[in-house]
Amino acid sequence: MATTYSISDLAREFDLTPRAMRFYEDMGLLQPARSGPGGRQRVYSARDRTRLKLTLRAKRLGLSLHEAKSLIDMYDSPRDTGPQLRKFLQVLEGHRAQLEAQQAELQATLQEIGEHEKEARALLARIERPAKAGTKTGAKAVRG
């Protein structure tokens, strides 16, 4: 007999909410069988568990759910794995380029922040120096 899982089994295993599981089902990533009165109880297969695992891995890589579904669906088909792997590499290359562009933007922003901090510290030092010097001079004048 094939291993099956309830929605709470998989939600607990992958630290998800049942609502998230239903969302993945609505997106077509999971296709549980139905049982019980009125078919209200979801029964997930080992295939669903694997698809969920792959979906979460794709999310960690920063892929959209549509990209994840497209890639995961390719593995369900009996086609040659060559086209599947080429598509996967294409998606990963595109995502890498996007992340590298974001990284370059962040690096430029951090550099700009550093320059503003340096300028602000220099201005603050100039403002505070005369004030401290004036305080000391004023104290000597009162005593003398």
Side-chain angles (χ1 to χ4, degrees), residues 38-105:
R40 294 183 45 134
Q41 187 175 354
R42 291 169 170 83
V43 180
Y44 294 92
S45 65
R47 175 185 173 274
D48 288 312
R49 184 184 175 280
T50 299
R51 288 178 64 91
L52 179 58
K53 189 175 183 177
L54 291 172
T55 298
L56 297 176
R57 183 177 298 155
K59 276 186 63 180
R60 277 194 308 277
L61 289 172
L63 302 179
S64 72
L65 290 179
H66 291 290
E67 289 170 320
K69 183 178 182 328
S70 170
L71 291 171
I72 293 167
D73 284 347
M74 285 192 307
Y75 287 96
D76 279 344
S77 70
R79 291 183 281 168
D80 180 28
T81 58
Q84 295 166 348
L85 290 172
R86 279 190 284 284
K87 174 67 175 172
F88 183 55
L89 285 171
Q90 181 184 15
V91 169
L92 288 177
E93 288 167 1
H95 191 62
R96 176 187 294 278
Q98 180 184 13
L99 289 174
E100 287 172 347
Q102 289 174 343
Q103 184 179 29
E105 286 180 34

